[in-house]
Amino acid sequence: MSAGHHHALYVPGDTPVHRLPPQCKLIAALGFAVAVVATPREAWGAFAVDALLLAVVAVVARIPPGMVLRRMVIEVPFVLFAVAIPFIGLGERVEVLGVSLSLPGLWAAWNILAKATLGVVASILLAATTEPRAMLLGAERLRLPSLLVQIAMFMLRYMSVILDQARRMRIARESRGFVARDIRQAPVLARSAGALFIRSYERGERVHLAMLSRGYTGQMPAVHDLPASGRQWGAAAVLPVLALTTALIARSLA
Amino acid sequence: MTSGAESGTAVSLQVSGLAYAYPDGTQALFGVDLTITRGERVALLGPNGAGKTTLVMHLNGILTAGHGTVEVAGLPVRSDTLREIRRRVGLVFQDPDDQLFMPTVREDVAFGPANLGLRGAELDRRVRDALDRVGMLEAMDRPPHHLSFGQRRRVAVATVLAMEPEILVLDEPSSNLDPASRRELAEILRNLDVTVLMVTHDLPYALELCERSLILSEGVIAADGPTRSLLADDELLAAHRLELPYGFAPSAHPR
């Protein structure tokens, strides 16, 4: 089957970062992102400090830098958008290698790029050190709307089932000579997607019946006790607090 | 019409005069009567389209009777008894992927009893006990989608056993199983100490596991008797589109 025994993003390990309860890590990553966004864009040094903080986390969690870099590919669409801004931006212009660029545009691009990169790296580290299941338990623990957590939980459970179904449909198409060459084959693929949607929907109904058969009343029974000690909260707070301090210092200097 | 309440204890399932038509007008059941006493293992045989699944869906109130009654250990299936009925009737679905919806086996088996309000050590005991009865205790912390099909079906049985049901209803338990998984499941089912209703068209499996069989055909119970004598009656089987596998002779298979 297609799915391996661990989820693709999770890097198994037993480091202090891995051991922190998921709810602490979720809050820490969120706090860090907020602090980064609150940092003035002119404060080059502050961003360097933030990057350094993440590097320390990566070292403690034993996440290889190469892996973090590879996963940063997810940011590419934002980078493309940011790169376009200096060309189309208005206002004061500067010459760089004979190309006229907008100065506010450059600042805006830098702002997006720096903050997005730091946020993406923080989420990569979070995903690499927290199992998806633990992440959901953490979210539950933080009292996120239970419906959303349930939807995410079912997605986690049924992703491989649905991908498997999609794969079987593709094999069935190709076994009968179908090749997706250009746009003219789009209707066939659209119909396949539609069939897959209906099958998943029907499975959803059957799963719901199975849940009702076992006493489901709209709430997942809260069975898990996921305690986080004050010390663990303290350890998790180090990253966002340092980032926030950096942001505040940068603001007061600006 | 007899009522299950009067006899008190011994009747697990009583269906009386059950008729049902789908909303589009297709009549699926034309007055089904059957009684299963506690501790029995009964096979419900019938060709595709005989109304087996429709009947099963009445047993835990997913469909409600157009006419007639269903009682589980004396409790009638009605909208106000649904919660208790669903605890008493353990339905094992044909596709274990429909039944195992939680991220790990342990959480899945715990789902039912947790909904009944169990927590902590008591919940843990139920989960371990149910998994132990199907021989899947070592898979407790694995995600269901990493198990083989046969293992998933066994876990699906455990999820229902953890509810401590009055009657276990299995929809085509042997479908899609390889011979070894099929035999393992049979051994597990034979050793369970619960009432079982097994819906199937796998006649040798019915013979192996159930003393008694019912034949559901065209929406009515067409025959009710010892499995061995029903399967030995070629005319009866032929009349209801049931067939033994090639070369299979019930008389050659002592229990």
Side-chain angles (χ1 to χ4, degrees):
Chain A
M1 295 275 156
S2 50
H5 270 244
H6 276 287
H7 278 268
L9 289 178
Y10 180 64
V11 184
D14 188 31
T15 69
V17 183
H18 283 84
R19 279 194 298 268
L20 276 181
Q23 65 267 38
C24 305
K25 282 188 272 188
L26 275 168
I27 290 289
L30 184 70
F32 178 80
V34 170
V36 166
V37 170
T39 307
R41 60 188 187 186
E42 294 84 3
W44 305 84
F47 292 116
V49 172
D50 288 339
L52 195 68
L53 290 174
L54 287 181
V56 171
V57 173
V59 168
V60 173
R62 303 224 179 91
I63 305 297
M67 177 184 288
V68 176
L69 285 176
R70 271 200 309 282
R71 290 182 181 178
M72 282 169 67
V73 171
I74 193 166
E75 204 192 338
V76 164
F78 299 95
V79 173
L80 291 179
F81 176 67
V83 163
I85 299 177
F87 293 98
I88 57 182
L90 303 171
E92 197 183 332
R93 300 195 79 84
V94 287
E95 290 277 324
V96 179
L97 302 174
V99 185
S100 161
L101 298 175
S102 141
L103 195 58
L106 276 173
W107 274 118
W110 154 251
N111 193 31
I112 291 174
L113 217 54
K115 293 180 177 178
T117 305
L118 287 169
V120 164
V121 172
S123 344
I124 290 171
L125 291 176
L126 175 67
T129 58
T130 317
E131 273 186 286
R133 176 61 191 144
M135 201 95 82
L136 291 177
L137 289 175
E140 208 169 45
R141 183 82 189 179
L142 292 172
R143 306 195 189 256
L144 255 63
S146 84
L147 203 57
L148 293 181
V149 178
Q150 284 180 43
I151 290 171
M153 192 195 78
F154 287 121
M155 198 178 78
L156 190 63
R157 165 66 181 89
Y158 285 101
M159 187 71 95
S160 61
V161 174
I162 291 171
L163 285 180
D164 232 41
Q165 209 154 34
R167 192 180 52 93
R168 285 198 300 272
M169 288 168 77
R170 181 177 58 79
I171 291 171
R173 278 196 309 269
E174 289 174 4
S175 310
R176 286 186 279 158
F178 175 80
V179 186
R181 226 176 274 105
D182 55 46
I183 192 72
R184 277 169 302 174
Q185 272 85 39
V188 176
L189 294 177
R191 271 195 290 274
S192 289
L196 190 63
F197 174 78
I198 289 173
R199 285 185 190 186
S200 306
Y201 186 85
E202 285 173 345
R203 182 181 297 279
E205 286 186 322
R206 292 197 302 272
V207 170
H208 186 233
L209 286 182
M211 293 172 74
L212 288 179
S213 300
R214 286 196 274 148
Y216 177 71
T217 50
Q219 281 292 321
M220 282 301 187
V223 182
H224 289 276
D225 206 21
L226 207 64
S229 67
R231 217 154 124 213
Q232 286 169 319
W233 277 113
V238 169
L239 176 73
V241 165
L242 286 179
L244 197 64
T245 316
T246 311
L248 290 178
I249 294 173
R251 271 182 178 265
S252 62
L253 293 180
Chain B
M1 293 283 124
T2 52
S3 127
E6 84 198 22
S7 57
T9 51
V11 175
S12 266
L13 178 70
Q14 171 116 34
V15 178
S16 313
L18 181 67
Y20 181 78
Y22 277 98
D24 67 355
T26 317
Q27 183 95 12
L29 299 175
F30 295 86
V32 171
D33 293 287
L34 63 93
T35 305
I36 296 176
T37 53
R38 184 164 294 164
E40 264 192 305
R41 272 202 305 271
V42 180
L44 181 67
L45 310 174
N48 290 336
K52 298 192 299 281
T53 306
T54 312
L55 177 57
V56 165
M57 294 210 282
H58 278 86
L59 300 184
N60 79 345
I62 289 169
L63 295 179
T64 43
H67 192 269
T69 59
V70 178
E71 287 179 10
V72 183
L75 185 72
V77 176
R78 281 197 317 256
S79 55
D80 57 324
T81 58
L82 273 190
R83 254 183 92 80
E84 177 60 17
I85 288 292
R86 286 178 176 161
R87 191 195 67 74
R88 291 187 187 187
V89 179
L91 207 57
V92 179
F93 289 71
Q94 209 179 121
D95 184 349
D97 271 327
D98 293 342
Q99 188 134 17
L100 306 178
F101 44 79
M102 296 291 277
T104 67
V105 167
R106 178 204 299 266
E107 289 169 278
D108 213 301
V109 179
F111 181 84
N115 279 326
L116 299 178
L118 267 62
R119 291 291 182 277
E122 170 80 353
L123 180 63
D124 200 50
R125 187 194 60 73
R126 279 262 190 127
V127 171
R128 286 174 180 278
D129 186 48
L131 283 171
D132 195 33
R133 285 164 87 183
V134 299
M136 290 299 295
L137 198 54
E138 72 287 350
M140 190 147 88
D141 288 308
R142 297 179 60 193
H145 50 275
H146 291 164
L147 303 175
S148 76
F149 194 85
Q151 290 174 321
R152 269 183 279 167
R153 180 153 292 151
R154 276 150 66 186
V155 173
V157 172
T159 64
V160 169
L161 286 179
M163 306 277 285
E164 300 189 341
E166 169 75 28
I167 179 168
L168 190 62
V169 181
L170 300 140
D171 193 2
E172 298 288 358
S174 60
S175 66
N176 291 325
L177 293 183
D178 59 32
S181 314
R182 185 184 143 93
R183 175 184 49 74
E184 284 162 3
L185 185 67
E187 282 164 10
I188 288 162
L189 293 177
R190 199 178 297 120
N191 290 323
L192 290 180
D193 190 21
V194 290
T195 314
V196 172
L197 177 64
M198 193 173 105
V199 177
T200 187
H201 43 223
D202 182 344
L203 304 185
Y205 215 52
L207 180 65
E208 196 180 339
L209 285 168
C210 304
E211 288 278 355
R212 177 182 163 209
S213 288
L214 309 166
I215 294 179
L216 183 68
S217 184
E218 295 177 350
V220 293
I221 299 291
D224 179 351
T227 308
R228 181 174 303 274
S229 55
L230 291 190
L231 296 196
D233 188 340
D234 293 340
E235 271 176 48
L236 178 73
L237 294 187
H240 301 295
R241 280 188 67 80
L242 289 168
E243 274 179 31
L244 288 161
Y246 177 76
F248 187 91
S251 55
H253 290 263
R255 286 180 68 98

